[in-house]
Amino acid sequence: MVEHHGQHRDGLMKKIFITAEVPTRILQNLSRDFQVDVFSQSRPMTEQELLHCLQCEHYDAVVCTYKDRINQQLLDAAGDQLQVIATLSTGTDHIDKRACHQAGVKVCNVPAVTTHAVADYAVALLLIGIRRLDSHIQEDTSDGNDEPWHFMGNLQGRALSDMTIGIIGMGKIGTEISRRLHGFGARINYFSRTRKIHVEQQFAAHYQSLEALLANADAVLLSCALSQETYHLLNRDTLRNLKPHAILVNVARGEICDHQALTEVLASGQLAMLLTDTTEPEPLPPEHPLRQMPNCLIFPHIATNTLDSRENLCHGAVAEVQRTLSTLPVTKFS
Ligand SMILES: NC(=O)C1=CN([C@@H]2O[C@H](COP(=O)(O)OP(=O)(O)OC[C@H]3O[C@@H](n4cnc5c(N)ncnc54)[C@H](O)[C@@H]3O)[C@@H](O)[C@H]2O)C=CC1
Ligand SMILES: O=CC(=O)O
C-alpha cells in the first residue's frame, strides 16, 4: 500500500509522504536527498488511511491531492515535525489553512499550470451539453441502420455563436474559457469579485450582477474559487433567476452549488442540463437524487488530467517541498 523510496533510510534524512503516484523521474530525484513514502494504490487515500500513516511515522512534508482532507485531527497526528503541506492542485479548500497556520505548517499549492487543461475541459463539457453529444453517442448505427432518424429530430442543439454564456469567476480559468468562447463567437457575460477590464476589452465580455448573469445566460460556467462567500452561491433563491432551459457547467467546486436546489431545477426543466466535474461530497453517493437525474452528467473531478498538467503539478509541489525543507524561501499559495 505504501512504497518506500530513498537509499539511506538512516533516520537523519528528512521524510516526505506523498498521497498519490508521481512520475518515477521526480521520485528518483527526490529520493536522493529525502526518504519518500508514497501511497501507491490507484485510488485516493481514505481519511483513516492517511491518519494512520501520519500517526505511525512522522514526516517533515506531505504532498497531497485535492481528494485529501487536511484537518486539525490530521495535523495533530502528524506532530511537530511537519513543516509543509504541498497540494497537487490549484484549490486549497480541502486544507484547513487556519489550523495549518496555527500549527506552523506552510501550505503550498501549484496555481496556473493546469489552467488551459481545465478551460479546455469546461468548453468540452459545454459542447457536450449544448449539442447533447452524450445522447448522440447512444444513437446506435452499428447494425447499419439509421432508424429512427428525423430531420427535425429531438437531439437538436445550438451553436455557441448563437448563445450567451455567463461565466462566474473571471480568474485564470475564467479568462481562458473566455478566450476559447470568444473564438467560437459566443457572447460572454461574467460575474466576479472584481471587474476584469482586460478580459472585457480582449474578449468583449460584459460584467453583470449574478442575478442578471443567470437571467441572460443560455449556459452558465462556474470557475470561481470556493470560499465562505461562494459556498452554495447557486441555491434555491439564485437559481430561480435562471433562464428556462439553461445549461450549467461546473469545473470549480461542488460546494458552490446547493445540490438539492440543483435537483429541483433539473426536475422542473428550468435547468436543461448539468455537467459537473465536482460534487458535494465527492464522490457523490450512488443513491443521491442528483445521480438519478437523466439530464445530469457527473465527471470524476478530472479536468486537470492531461499528462503535462499532472507532471507540472508534481514538479511544482515537489519544488516547494524541496525549497521549504532546504529552508529557502517558499512561494505562498495565491
Ligand atoms: N475541476 C478541477 O479539476 C479544477 C478546479 N479548479 C477550481 O477552479 C478555481 C478557480 O481556479 P483559477 O481560475 O485558477 O483561480 P483564480 O484565483 O485565478 O480565480 C478565481 C476567481 O474566482 C473569483 N471569485 C472569488 N470569490 C468570488 C465571489 N465571491 N464571487 C465571484 N467570484 C469570486 C475571483 O475573483 C477570481 O477571479 C479554483 O479555486 C479551484 O477550486 C482549479 C483547477 C482544477
Ligand atoms: O481541483 C483541482 C485543483 O487543481 O484545484
Side-chain angles (χ1 to χ4, degrees):
M1 187 167 92
V2 174
E3 278 176 10
H4 305 288
H5 301 263
Q7 290 164 347
H8 329 279
R9 304 178 68 83
D10 57 7
L12 295 175
M13 292 179 100
K14 290 192 173 171
K15 290 186 282 184
I16 302 171
F17 187 78
I18 308 182
T19 68
E21 308 157 77
V22 296
T24 312
R25 255 180 308 122
I26 294 181
L27 208 49
Q28 282 169 346
N29 183 1
L30 202 57
S31 53
R32 273 192 230 122
D33 301 318
F34 301 100
Q35 176 187 318
V36 189
D37 292 348
V38 180
F39 181 73
S40 56
Q41 307 272 299
S42 49
R43 61 172 174 80
M45 293 188 87
T46 65
E47 275 188 57
Q48 279 313 312
E49 284 169 337
L50 184 53
L51 192 67
H52 179 72
C53 285
L54 299 194
Q55 258 165 354
C56 290
E57 180 137 16
H58 283 168
Y59 293 91
D60 301 274
V62 171
V63 177
C64 67
T65 78
Y66 50 85
K67 297 274 186 186
D68 303 310
R69 299 273 137 217
I70 308 294
N71 53 24
Q72 184 69 57
Q73 193 187 12
L74 205 80
L75 292 169
D76 290 343
D80 291 343
Q81 196 168 324
L82 187 63
Q83 290 183 51
V84 55
I85 293 175
T87 179
L88 296 160
S89 62
T90 299
T92 55
D93 46 275
H94 52 296
I95 300 175
D96 183 340
K97 293 184 282 293
R98 185 178 301 176
C100 288
H101 181 71
Q102 278 167 0
V105 175
K106 281 176 183 141
V107 177
C108 310
N109 66 341
V110 192
V113 301
T114 61
T115 304
H116 290 277
V118 179
D120 288 353
Y121 202 79
V123 175
L125 296 195
L126 180 62
L127 287 168
I128 291 175
I130 65 174
R131 299 301 299 271
R132 288 307 313 245
L133 299 180
D134 54 318
S135 312
H136 292 190
I137 288 168
Q138 284 162 20
E139 292 281 288
D140 185 11
T141 56
S142 57
D143 57 359
N145 189 343
D146 254 345
E147 291 174 38
W149 182 85
H150 306 282
F151 183 65
M152 297 297 288
N154 60 358
L155 294 181
Q156 284 175 324
R158 295 184 72 185
L160 276 169
S161 55
D162 296 330
M163 295 179 71
T164 299
I165 310 296
I167 300 176
I168 299 177
M170 192 54 80
K172 289 181 277 303
I173 294 172
T175 302
E176 284 309 318
I177 292 173
S178 302
R179 184 189 308 285
R180 286 153 178 73
L181 294 183
H182 186 58
F184 277 99
R187 283 180 298 280
I188 301 170
N189 296 329
Y190 77 99
F191 168 69
S192 207
R193 222 171 11 184
T194 52
R195 277 184 70 170
K196 305 289 157 74
I197 303 300
H198 63 288
V199 179
E200 296 183 14
Q201 289 169 345
Q202 229 180 325
F203 308 123
H206 302 281
Y207 183 83
Q208 292 194 320
S209 67
L210 179 63
E211 289 71 23
L213 178 142
L214 293 172
N216 292 321
D218 299 305
V220 175
L221 268 66
L222 274 179
S223 52
C224 60
L226 173 64
S227 65
Q228 279 178 354
E229 273 173 63
T230 59
Y231 179 78
H232 286 196
L233 185 68
L234 295 191
N235 54 44
R236 239 180 231 132
D237 281 341
T238 50
L239 286 170
R240 221 190 290 278
N241 294 296
L242 272 178
K243 194 169 176 173
H245 315 301
I247 286 173
L248 177 62
V249 171
N250 185 3
V251 290
R253 286 291 184 266
E255 287 85 349
I256 296 168
C257 305
D258 173 345
H259 286 20
Q260 180 55 39
L262 281 180
T263 310
E264 289 166 13
V265 284
L266 279 169
S268 73
Q270 180 155 25
L271 191 60
M273 197 165 180
L274 168 68
L275 301 103
T276 185
D277 190 36
T278 54
T279 55
E280 179 195 20
E282 228 169 82
L284 199 64
E287 64 281 4
H288 193 283
L290 207 48
R291 286 218 185 263
Q292 321 312 322
M293 305 306 295
N295 45 356
C296 171
L297 293 184
I298 298 175
F299 296 83
H301 201 155
I302 205 166
T304 61
N305 193 12
T306 67
L307 182 60
D308 290 335
S309 288
R310 291 277 160 99
E311 282 193 349
N312 288 335
L313 283 172
C314 293
H315 280 298
V318 162
E320 294 288 14
V321 165
Q322 285 172 316
R323 264 196 285 273
T324 309
L325 296 189
S326 316
T327 65
L328 288 174
V330 70
T331 312
K332 294 267 184 291
F333 56 83
S334 66

